[in-house]
Amino acid sequence: MHGNSWTDIGTALGVTRQAVQQRFHAPHKRYSPEAMTDELRQAMAHVKQAAVHHRNNYIGTEHLLWGLTAEDNSATRLLQTAGVSPETVHQPVGTHLSMGASQAAERIAWTPYSRKAIDIAEARSEQHGSDRIDCEDLLIGLSRVGRGVAAAVLTGAGLDPATLDPAPADT
């Protein structure tokens, strides 16, 4: 974003170029908008908006959960089915969105937990015979990661991954 090479960034952080690339690379192109339902594309617009607004140079699980609960979609309906109001999740995750120092960039890096959540979501959508990832898939992916801000907020709301999706994708 600022014109520094991966090697420069690695040196500044005291790690290798490869470690920096693994930590901060964007998800594979398979997560392009074409791989997402219309609802998830709309939610991802909220995700990016939250990252840019808070001057974050990354997409964390908190950004993903914020975007998923910003408006009615399959994720918010799944929360309601599980007995949790989407606002009960949206408000607390908002407190975890902190103001960063980065300028907005066209490519904002995804954190490892966010990449893992979308990988789980993709596997779940494929298991259910869909070629597109939906909001519900990503919510379940976030809950299954078990770590990160989103997992903590979902657990704090009383949600258990088994409650959201009784048939895990890895079985």
Side-chain angles (χ1 to χ4, degrees):
M1 176 171 57
H2 296 289
N4 297 322
S5 69
W6 287 117
T7 302
D8 294 340
I9 296 167
T11 301
L13 296 174
V15 297
T16 66
R17 172 190 57 82
Q18 182 180 5
V20 171
Q21 285 178 311
Q22 288 174 347
R23 169 69 169 87
F24 293 106
H25 83 280
H28 191 273
K29 287 184 180 180
R30 67 180 175 202
Y31 303 129
S32 68
E34 294 78 31
M36 301 175 186
T37 63
D38 291 340
E39 281 187 344
L40 185 54
R41 281 195 292 267
Q42 183 62 36
M44 293 306 283
H46 290 288
V47 168
K48 187 168 184 180
Q49 183 180 41
V52 169
H53 174 76
H54 288 90
R55 299 174 56 103
N56 300 140
N57 62 353
Y58 64 93
I59 300 286
T61 61
E62 62 273 25
H63 298 97
L64 294 175
L65 188 56
W66 173 266
L68 287 176
T69 57
E71 58 186 47
D72 182 56
N73 57 46
S74 62
T76 58
R77 291 187 294 273
L78 181 60
L79 287 170
Q80 291 169 335
T81 300
V84 175
S85 162
E87 293 80 26
T88 303
V89 173
H90 191 72
Q91 290 175 348
V93 81
T95 65
H96 291 281
L97 293 171
S98 59
M99 192 60 78
S102 298
Q103 295 295 325
E106 184 59 33
R107 286 186 57 167
I108 300 174
W110 287 50
T111 65
Y113 294 148
S114 293
R115 287 193 310 269
K116 184 173 181 180
I118 202 148
D119 285 342
I120 293 168
E122 179 188 39
R124 183 181 186 277
S125 69
E126 287 174 357
Q127 180 189 30
H128 288 94
S130 177
D131 60 347
R132 297 184 353 178
I133 303 167
D134 194 19
C135 293
E136 177 180 318
D137 298 319
L138 186 53
L139 177 65
I140 289 167
L142 288 169
S143 73
R144 285 196 197 152
V145 167
R147 302 189 77 174
V149 172
V153 170
L154 291 170
T155 300
L159 291 172
D160 176 4
T163 303
L164 287 178
D165 189 27
D170 56 323
T171 58

